Each structure stands twice: as structure tokens, then as C-alpha cells.
Amino acid sequence: MAPAGPSPIDPYTLDRDGLSALLDELGQPGYRAGQVADWLVRGVDDPQAMTDLPLELRTQLEDRFAPARPELVAHTVADEGHTHKLLLRFPDGEAIETVLMLYPRRATVCISTQAGCAMGCPFCATGQAGFRRQLTAGEVVRQVVVADAALRSGSLGGAQLPEGAPDHVTNVVYMGMGEPLANLPATLDSVRWLHEPDGFGLSARGITVSTVGLVPGIRRLAELGLPVTLAVSLHAATDELRDELVPVNRSHPLAELEQEVAAYRRRTGRRVTIEWCLIGEVNDDTDQADRLAAIARRLGAHVNVIPMNPTPGVRWREPSRGRTRRFVDRVRARGAQITLRDTRGRDADAACGQLMASYALGAGTRLPVAVGAAERIEQRGEGGR
Ligand code: SAH
Ligand code: SF4
């Protein structure tokens, strides 16, 4: 009996080095990897359709590739055609969400790195659903491929994209479902794919990785040596409040996180972003504003405030307009840079961080620290806040 060959792999899981190694193993000249990468970037993953490859190689690649093509199972359009939320299902039945946001000169894709999330942040719909599984690098990259193909063709899921939309993806934000730094291999490999000139060729600055603050992961991201924008979901400026809003803070408290973010800034030279999901009467007071401003100034970071999207099962709400304005003004007056972000896609549940609200709620697992936090929030909700 012939020995079993290597198991087939989704071609998008191979970065340029991986493709080169595979083609080298098949006895092919060096330039073939570039040819295959070109097809993949154009959304073609069927080796038989890669018409500039010799027939024999196409057949060999068919044996080596196991394309994990996602199926578009739901599509919601908001903001007059400028926001598209896609529910993509992989061959094993797991589904994730991807959001395409169109601006005059920008097309940003918000991508997922996990089906669900184990971090259990109590205000986040994905956190409520729990963790289901890691995505592969290929499954991460494929979300960009789907969006890019739509932009090239001018239509998505049967809907025309608005006039003047860019014809390719310009920015990628890792702000969909899951915690990117809890799936480091797929996050780092996919960042490489998106950045490499033979891959999508996106500028590192156009790629933003958002994290809840996993300190070892931030270090690894810095070691990648690419000036990718780091967004840190802070949401609270004291350990006491952050332990509750972001349960993983109990493992990596604020001082440790701040130190690592400062190191990221020094190492990459990139300005870091602080994300602050503003929750009415929870983290919108002047004490939090003052402490946030101090952290942002020390880090030279820009603060993005996102009013909380309502999440099923959580009674917390976004603050009133007056409180929101006072919070933003206070942080600014204390000398930090701050922007109040638009709430893209809210009318279709499509805002980043508001994914999975309608899908498979409560089916996954959570970190033990997150379970305790969720229970306290539920009790608080029942108390009629
Ligand atoms: N896990 C990563 C990336 C995905 S979440 C992280 O937490 O950073 C992307 C962003 O959406 C985070 O800043 C998150 O805090 C925010 N978010 C989550 N739930 C939200 C909600 N209900 N309203 C507004 N923003 C939310
Ligand atoms: Fe996970 Fe981010 Fe949601 Fe927290 S905010 S539960 S880390 S997806």
C-alpha cells in the first residue's frame, strides 16, 4: 500500500513561503508560486481554472488543495447600500460574520478570526455566544477574498453596490467575531497574506488588529515586524471596572497591558488606537474620562469612542447624547485625542462587535473567568438597572 500523502490544505492557508515550499516539493520552478498566488488573489482557488499552469501540475494541486469555500447564507444591507453584513458558512457548518463598509475612497472589511469568542465580555454579542472553534488562516483570508470579488464585480449577493464604491478592498480590520490574539497562528499568517506584495498587497497601515488585551499576543504581533495598527479594547481605566467589563483583565491587568502597548508603539513606530465602548452609567463618568485621558496621553494613543450597541440579554445601553458629549469633551480637554465613531450598520445589527446577535446564541464555551463576570451582569440586569 502506498504511504498516505500529506493532508490536503486550504490554499489560502498557505502564505507565499508555504506556496513556494509546496511547488518546490512538486519539482516546479520558483515563479510558479507567484502564478498560483495571482489566481488566489483574484479569487480563483480551483487549480483546473489556473490556465497558465501545466495540466499535470493542475491535477497535482487538485490533490493537495482542499478549498474551504464559504457559502453566503445571509446578507443584510444597511446605510443605503454602504454597509453589508454577510453570514458565511464553512463546509463543516460553522458560520461567521463579515462586514463590508464602503466609503468614498475606502472599502473596509471587518473580519472574524474565531467562530464565537471565549473572552466573555458581557456587553458583546459574540462574547455571549461563547467559543465554537478557531478559524484557519485560509478562512480568515477568504473573508477578504469574498469582499474583494464583490467590489471587482460591483455586486454582492445579487445586490448592486453603490456607484463610486472602490473596486478593491483597501482596509482590513480584525474586529469581527473572536479575539484575534487568541488565534495567533491564523492572525499572523493572514496578516502576512494580506500584506505581502504577492498576496493582497495591502499596506500594513491599512490593517488593524483589535485585541481585548492579550499581552503575549501583542508581543508576538510586534515581532512580526510589520507596522500593523494595533487597537486595544480598553473600555475601563481602573482594574476594578475592567475586571468586570473585560474579564481577561484579571489575567493581564491594566499596568501590564499599558507597558506592552507602549513597547508595541516603540517597536513599530505606529500610533496605537484605544477602543472605548461607551456604556451608559457604567464607564461614562468623569473619573473614567480623566483616567482614560491620562493613559491615552502616556501612550500617545488615539481614542475611538463607540456608543454601545444594545445586545440581547444585557440591560446596559448607550449613554444619552449629553453624557456622551460630556465624556468626549472631558477626555479632549485633558489633552488626549479622541473621536466619536459613527455607528455603522446599526440598523442591520451589522456594526462591528455586534455580530452573532441573531445566530446560535449560547452554544459555545467561555473562559472560566468570563463565566463569573457574565453571571454578575445577569444578576445586575435582573435587578432592573
Ligand atoms: N475581540 C477583539 C476584536 C473583536 S470585538 C476585541 O475585543 O477587541 C471588536 C470591537 O467591538 C471591540 O472594541 C469591542 O469592544 C466592540 N464591541 C463589542 N460589543 C460591542 C457593543 N455591544 N457595542 C459596541 N461595541 C462593541
Ligand atoms: Fe470577544 Fe472582543 Fe467580544 Fe470581548 S469584545 S467577547 S474579546 S469579540
Side-chain angles (χ1 to χ4, degrees), residues 59-187:
T59 307
Q60 285 173 318
L61 289 179
E62 251 186 336
D63 288 341
R64 302 298 289 269
F65 286 169
R69 292 182 196 122
E71 188 192 347
L72 178 59
V73 287
H75 175 197
T76 327
V77 185
D79 303 320
E80 291 165 347
H82 291 85
T83 303
H84 294 254
K85 180 177 79 163
L86 314 176
L87 182 66
L88 299 174
R89 189 167 59 204
F90 292 108
D92 72 343
E94 270 319 325
I96 51 110
E97 292 180 320
T98 304
V99 185
L100 172 62
M101 291 164 284
L102 302 172
Y103 303 87
R105 277 178 299 281
R106 243 177 338 124
T108 300
V109 200
C110 174
I111 57 173
S112 300
T113 50
Q114 302 180 314
C117 183
M119 299 295 141
C121 307
F123 54 88
C124 168
T126 312
Q128 300 313 294
F131 176 77
R132 295 181 57 85
R133 77 159 166 85
Q134 302 283 26
L135 301 191
T136 64
E139 289 168 335
V140 176
V141 170
R142 277 178 182 277
Q143 299 168 62
V144 181
V145 173
V146 167
D148 203 64
L151 291 166
R152 257 181 290 119
S153 71
S155 76
L156 179 49
Q160 283 301 115
L161 296 178
E163 290 265 316
D167 64 2
H168 65 283
V169 170
T170 61
N171 294 70
V172 173
V173 295
Y174 286 68
M175 289 193 182
M177 288 165 55
E179 166 51 41
L181 301 185
N183 185 6
L184 263 175
T187 295

Side-chain angles (χ1 to χ4, degrees), residues 97-336:
E97 292 180 320
T98 304
V99 185
L100 172 62
M101 291 164 284
L102 302 172
Y103 303 87
R105 277 178 299 281
R106 243 177 338 124
T108 300
V109 200
C110 174
I111 57 173
S112 300
T113 50
Q114 302 180 314
C117 183
M119 299 295 141
C121 307
F123 54 88
C124 168
T126 312
Q128 300 313 294
F131 176 77
R132 295 181 57 85
R133 77 159 166 85
Q134 302 283 26
L135 301 191
T136 64
E139 289 168 335
V140 176
V141 170
R142 277 178 182 277
Q143 299 168 62
V144 181
V145 173
V146 167
D148 203 64
L151 291 166
R152 257 181 290 119
S153 71
S155 76
L156 179 49
Q160 283 301 115
L161 296 178
E163 290 265 316
D167 64 2
H168 65 283
V169 170
T170 61
N171 294 70
V172 173
V173 295
Y174 286 68
M175 289 193 182
M177 288 165 55
E179 166 51 41
L181 301 185
N183 185 6
L184 263 175
T187 295
L188 300 180
D189 285 354
S190 59
V191 165
R192 263 195 295 269
W193 226 116
L194 296 175
H195 174 68
E196 279 172 356
D198 285 336
F200 273 85
L202 291 179
S203 95
R205 284 154 193 263
I207 302 174
T208 299
V209 174
S210 178
T211 178
V212 74
L214 297 186
V215 166
I218 296 175
R219 202 168 306 146
R220 291 281 303 282
L221 188 64
E223 284 163 8
L224 192 61
L226 295 176
V228 168
T229 305
L230 177 70
V232 179
S233 296
L234 205 66
H235 312 316
T238 52
D239 281 320
E240 194 191 357
L241 182 60
R242 198 163 192 270
D243 280 353
E244 196 177 345
L245 296 184
V246 183
V248 81
N249 190 68
R250 293 179 213 171
S251 310
H252 302 290
L254 277 167
E256 186 194 348
L257 176 59
E258 185 176 333
Q259 210 176 20
E260 199 56 48
V261 174
Y264 186 90
R265 164 108 213 232
R266 277 196 305 276
R267 188 152 185 174
T268 61
R270 276 303 277 157
R271 175 193 286 272
V272 169
T273 301
I274 292 176
E275 304 286 316
W276 192 277
C277 171
L278 199 63
I279 310 174
E281 323 251 338
V282 174
N283 64 355
D284 61 348
D285 55 77
T286 49
D287 180 54
Q288 288 292 324
D290 291 353
R291 290 172 189 271
L292 164 62
I295 295 174
R297 285 184 52 183
R298 286 198 294 272
L299 289 171
H302 189 103
V303 181
N304 272 328
V305 170
I306 315 132
M308 184 192 156
N309 273 308
T311 297
V314 177
R315 297 252 192 119
W316 290 342
R317 290 282 174 269
E318 72 182 282
S320 66
R321 281 191 178 187
R323 281 186 81 94
T324 304
R325 203 179 49 244
R326 274 196 296 280
F327 184 85
V328 171
D329 288 349
R330 179 94 181 186
V331 174
R332 193 172 286 135
R334 292 281 184 279

Side-chain angles (χ1 to χ4, degrees), residues 12-28:
Y12 287 100
T13 289
L14 295 168
D15 62 5
R16 178 58 198 262
D17 288 347
L19 274 179
S20 296
L22 172 63
L23 288 154
D24 190 50
E25 190 193 318
L26 296 174
Q28 295 293 322

